[in-house]
Amino acid sequence: MNQKLKNSVTAVSISAAILLNSFNVFADVIPIEKVQEPVIGESNQISLPDLPSEGVKNTCHLIETALNLIDYTVDLIPAQSDPPIIKTHVTMLYTLDPQNNPDLKLLIEKKEAYEQDNSWSALSKDEADRLEAAYISFENAKAKYLTTEFSDAHLAARKSYDALSQKEQAQVENYCLLTDMETNIAYIMQSVNTIPQKRRESLPYPDRTCTVDYKPQSDFVDLKIEKTEPNDHSSNVNLIYTIKKGAYGNQVLTFNQLIDIYTNEYQMPGDSAEFTIQIRNESDKVYRYKPGSFTLTTADTRNMDQLLPVLGYDGQLLPLSYVSGIVTNKPLQKLFDTKQTTLTLEQYLNLYNQLQKKGYHSLSDYFLDYYNEKDNTSYSFFHEMILENPVSYEKLQSGNGNSFTITKDEAEQYQAEYPEMMNWAYVTEENGDNITIQFKWPEADLQAAGYNGFYQSMFSFAFGDDEIKELDPNKNHIFCHSHGVGDYMNGAELQTKTDSYFSAATAAEENYLTSNPNSVLTYHGKWALDGPCVRNAYALYDFNFYGSIILEDVTPNPVVPPVDPDKPIPPVHPDEPTSPSVNPNCPSQTDPDSNDSIPMIPLTEIEQSEDDNLENDNCSNTGTSPKDNPNTGESFPTAALSAAALSLGSIIILVRKKK
């Protein structure tokens, strides 16, 4: 996902204003409702359509203003009467990107091959000119999105539209142009990267203890993904699986591809969407759900970039992109003796100098003392406090986020002067010589707390109609917290309950999945992001998951009558069919081979508006039992990571108490 800065020539960004303002990015074009023709009713009166309000007119104008700052095309469609219909199209960056053009991609690969080994053929002059012209066209179109002028115009249009009523929004006839512009913004945001860092070879990496078998989807399974309500940002999704002809043996179906439908979109706190799993069978085999095969867990991180020497509750090493960001919370305000709701860049860079002035060598120790004093508790360790008192974790994640635009030269200078902080500077934007950075939590226990809290409580799933009805991330977040991804660990109560839901569909033999066109297996699920408790620390946060089920081959074998040894075997007439024999080595008797890794899936991001109430405790629900951690075991390696001097302290694996 995140490439080194020196390799990010094509990585670009939007202005800081986009990061610091909440908005939804919709990848699908939203059609405009047509104004109905006047209808003569029974009373013979004509019902005239409502005229656009001033707010609607202003929104249309603001969208046009933003449109005029980027590339677009206009089609003139002949009409039965003059004038012709004018159809405007935003130039989509995806189609301009040479990496997405098959012909140009071959030229790119040819050029790279020659640069690595000049025994390969070099590009001809015509090929080089064509490739350069394509890059120039793409970069020129992209650069227009990076200006402050466009950023301001876009945000003004988005805010104006969001302020309209639902009825007024339907009257904004050029709204699809705004969503197309935001699709381009999201495409640009895929190019985020991290500041190049010297790999921390001196830090010991703990052994991965995750025991999840990340099976890939079987080759004999086709998957089609479609939105059933394409106008809705959090629309419902159908996952349509087909077991193809020639299939044999057990079939693995993965449903983490669900995230693909939201590529290039922002997901917001409180978002949720239902999805349906439909399975059909075109093979000559008979299938049923394999009991115990349901798996829902975190995504496999083994092949991700920027892995840290920190284990999550799932026993996996955390990538930097999965670490939540520092926020200006109450403890940090007290540390710097300020009432400002956002710390300055200088204050962030000098965080550990300030801690030393206050007599602390680590940020987690400071937080521990702060909340022990505030809450009249006596926890000895930070991870003990997070485990037993999850309210303190919620408060740590609450506050204004951080985002700073600096030059690349300044970044190198700060890296040399403040490595204890710049090692955790995550680049979210690049614009020429400027980059925008976000500081991630700089210590292992804080990093693990953010990751564990998100997957154990904030990112939730439900399966079956009754559970789906309860999964409301804005009104019933306590239920969401008890249905986090972490609650589905193998052997957990919720995993067993959900497995029973999947098993029930094929519990009876007459419900087995056959090749009959009317034979369909259908399951219902829902995902949700907690509304009240996903705080600003999760702005621009990457997240993903892995899910799978197995259908087992239960095709009946032909019955072979016993042979009487005293009775001669009659000859087989050439016109009579013979009973097929059973091959004991038939692949249908075995599970498909497993694979330890799955293809990387584009990750989405969360952005949240600022929370004025930094101590809002409405997400607390103490008094419940901590989650079990069967995958990682009860004991973990102990070392230490003190970001003040990048020396070793302790590697933390937290299993948070349910809230």
Side-chain angles (χ1 to χ4, degrees):
M1 279 291 295
N2 297 306
Q3 301 177 359
K4 293 184 177 180
L5 196 59
K6 64 181 181 181
N7 294 328
S8 61
V9 176
T10 60
V12 294
S13 61
I14 54 179
S15 69
I18 293 180
L19 290 179
L20 298 178
N21 291 271
S22 261
F23 64 90
N24 294 338
V25 176
F26 303 81
D28 297 294
V29 175
I30 298 184
I32 306 303
E33 293 185 6
K34 296 181 179 179
V35 178
Q36 299 296 321
E37 296 292 335
V39 178
I40 300 179
E42 294 181 356
S43 62
N44 292 327
Q45 293 182 350
I46 297 178
S47 177
L48 297 176
D50 294 335
L51 295 176
S53 66
E54 289 301 318
V56 171
K57 294 178 181 178
N58 182 56
T59 301
C60 292
H61 172 71
L62 291 174
I63 293 175
E64 288 291 334
T65 300
L67 177 70
N68 289 327
L69 297 173
I70 50 95
D71 288 351
Y72 65 92
T73 58
V74 175
D75 293 337
L76 297 180
I77 304 174
Q80 294 181 351
S81 59
D82 292 332
I85 299 173
I86 299 175
K87 185 69 174 178
T88 304
H89 305 277
V90 172
T91 301
M92 304 309 293
L93 295 181
Y94 178 87
T95 61
L96 283 183
D97 192 340
Q99 295 286 349
N100 299 323
N101 183 308
D103 293 335
L104 295 177
K105 195 171 183 179
L106 289 176
L107 296 183
I108 295 171
E109 293 173 353
K110 182 179 178 180
K111 179 182 178 182
E112 292 175 346
Y114 177 77
E115 291 173 348
Q116 295 176 8
D117 183 358
N118 56 20
S119 64
W120 291 83
S121 299
L123 294 180
S124 67
K125 185 177 185 304
D126 288 342
E127 289 175 334
D129 290 344
R130 183 155 64 95
L131 184 58
E132 182 180 7
Y135 270 120
I136 291 175
S137 177
F138 173 62
E139 294 296 335
N140 286 344
K142 191 167 57 175
K144 295 178 181 180
Y145 285 83
L146 310 181
T147 65
T148 301
E149 187 178 9
F150 170 77
S151 175
D152 292 342
H154 159 258
L155 289 174
R158 167 51 63 186
K159 289 180 179 179
S160 179
Y161 177 84
D162 290 344
L164 298 176
S165 67
Q166 186 174 0
K167 182 178 180 180
E168 289 176 317
Q169 289 179 348
Q171 296 177 323
V172 180
E173 297 181 353
N174 58 355
Y175 178 66
C176 60
L177 301 178
L178 178 61
T179 60
D180 282 352
M181 286 186 274
E182 290 175 336
T183 298
N184 282 341
I185 292 172
Y187 185 71
I188 292 172
M189 289 301 295
Q190 292 183 72
S191 301
V192 298
N193 58 86
T194 56
I195 289 178
Q197 301 176 31
K198 182 179 179 181
R199 181 169 176 79
R200 307 171 182 87
E201 287 86 357
S202 60
L203 301 179
Y205 277 67
D207 292 333
R208 181 178 181 272
T209 59
C210 178
T211 60
V212 175
D213 184 6
Y214 289 96
K215 292 182 173 68
Q217 184 157 287
S218 296
D219 293 337
F220 281 104
V221 177
D222 273 344
L223 171 60
K224 179 182 178 182
I225 308 176
E226 62 181 19
K227 282 189 175 182
T228 59
E229 299 174 10
N231 295 348
D232 187 355
H233 170 54
S234 295
S235 64
N236 294 350
V237 175
N238 279 339
L239 302 170
I240 304 172
Y241 299 84
T242 302
I243 300 176
K244 299 184 291 186
K245 293 180 180 179
Y248 59 86
N250 294 355
Q251 303 298 316
V252 178
L253 286 66
T254 58
F255 55 90
N256 42 276
Q257 298 94 325
L258 169 67
I259 209 74
D260 289 353
I261 207 71
Y262 301 105
T263 301
N264 298 338
E265 293 183 2
Y266 283 98
Q267 303 305 320
M268 305 294 290
D271 279 356
S272 64
E274 296 184 22
F275 59 92
T276 299
I277 295 173
Q278 296 179 348
I279 311 171
R280 301 180 183 273
N281 182 12
E282 295 181 351
S283 74
D284 59 354
K285 303 298 181 181
V286 178
Y287 290 94
R288 72 174 181 184
Y289 173 78
K290 182 178 181 180
S293 67
F294 169 77
T295 301
L296 179 67
T297 186
T298 49
D300 188 356
T301 68
R302 281 173 291 185
N303 295 321
M304 295 186 184
D305 295 333
Q306 296 290 320
L307 290 179
L308 306 176
V310 182
L311 287 178
Y313 75 94
D314 51 2
Q316 295 200 87
L317 296 173
L318 307 189
L320 184 61
S321 62
Y322 280 27
V323 174
S324 54
I326 304 176
V327 292
T328 304
N329 52 29
K330 288 290 187 181
L332 288 183
Q333 286 178 303
K334 182 177 180 181
L335 177 67
F336 284 96
D337 301 315
T338 180
K339 294 183 179 180
Q340 297 296 319
T341 57
T342 302
L343 297 182
T344 65
L345 172 60
E346 182 180 3
Q347 287 172 318
Y348 274 111
L349 293 173
N350 284 281
L351 177 60
Y352 282 95
N353 292 333
Q354 187 69 13
L355 284 169
Q356 290 178 359
K357 291 179 181 179
K358 299 283 186 174
Y360 293 95
H361 296 288
S362 73
L363 188 56
S364 55
D365 283 346
Y366 169 74
F367 286 150
L368 176 66
D369 282 356
Y370 176 91
Y371 284 110
N372 270 338
E373 179 181 356
K374 183 178 183 299
D375 299 334
N376 195 28
T377 54
S378 56
Y379 297 112
S380 301
F381 302 100
F382 178 87
H383 59 274
E384 177 189 9
M385 177 182 71
I386 297 298
L387 176 66
E388 298 296 331
N389 184 22
V391 177
S392 57
Y393 158 78
E394 298 291 351
K395 294 177 180 178
L396 284 175
Q397 303 291 97
S398 175
N400 287 345
N402 67 91
S403 181
F404 304 99
T405 299
I406 58 178
T407 66
K408 295 176 183 177
D409 289 341
E410 288 173 331
E412 293 182 4
Q413 177 185 346
Y414 295 149
Q415 179 71 38
E417 296 178 6
Y418 307 99
E420 64 274 12
M421 287 303 298
M422 290 301 293
N423 280 341
W424 312 109
Y426 185 79
V427 175
T428 58
E429 303 180 35
E430 182 183 357
N431 185 2
D433 289 333
N434 294 327
I435 56 176
T436 300
I437 60 174
Q438 173 197 45
F439 286 105
K440 301 285 191 177
W441 288 115
E443 298 176 16
D445 43 11
L446 293 165
Q447 294 162 355
Y451 176 84
N452 295 343
F454 182 81
Y455 284 103
Q456 289 184 312
S457 298
M458 309 303 177
F459 185 27
S460 307
F461 280 83
F463 296 89
D465 293 341
D466 293 340
E467 297 279 287
I468 288 173
K469 290 178 183 178
E470 294 293 324
L471 191 67
D472 186 330
N474 297 302
K475 298 179 180 179
N476 195 3
H477 66 273
I478 294 177
F479 182 86
C480 292
H481 287 187
S482 66
H483 286 69
V485 171
D487 289 296
Y488 288 91
M489 295 180 71
N490 188 31
E493 180 181 355
L494 189 56
Q495 192 270 347
T496 302
K497 180 179 180 180
T498 307
D499 186 74
S500 297
Y501 163 73
F502 278 87
S503 294
T506 57
E509 186 173 345
E510 60 266 25
N511 294 329
Y512 287 176
L513 184 64
T514 69
S515 57
N516 188 317
N518 296 323
S519 180
V520 182
L521 281 181
T522 303
Y523 301 104
H524 299 283
K526 183 179 181 180
W527 63 264
L529 293 173
D530 188 274
C533 300
V534 175
R535 307 301 183 92
N536 283 329
Y538 292 109
L540 299 178
Y541 185 76
D542 286 346
F543 66 99
N544 204 344
F545 75 100
Y546 170 82
S548 67
I549 60 174
I550 296 177
L551 296 187
E552 60 180 343
D553 186 348
V554 291
T555 307
N557 293 322
V559 177
V560 180
V563 177
D564 186 346
D566 297 328
K567 188 175 182 180
I569 300 175
V572 177
H573 191 280
D575 295 332
E576 294 178 355
T578 59
S579 298
S581 60
V582 179
N583 183 352
N585 297 319
C586 176
S588 65
Q589 309 302 316
T590 60
D591 287 341
D593 293 336
S594 63
N595 192 320
D596 288 335
S597 62
I598 59 174
M600 292 299 295
I601 298 177
L603 304 180
T604 54
E605 299 169 331
I606 298 178
E607 183 175 355
Q608 180 179 350
S609 59
E610 294 182 353
D611 183 358
D612 294 331
N613 184 2
L614 303 181
E615 294 272 293
N616 187 347
D617 297 343
N618 60 5
C619 297
S620 322
N621 182 30
T622 58
T624 53
S625 301
K627 293 181 179 178
D628 294 330
N629 194 4
N631 282 359
T632 58
E634 296 180 354
S635 61
F636 307 103
T638 57
L641 177 64
S642 172
L646 290 183
S647 60
L648 297 180
S650 62
I651 295 172
I652 304 299
I653 305 173
L654 301 180
V655 183
R656 298 179 53 245
K657 176 179 285 189
K658 286 309 294 179
K659 303 190 307 310

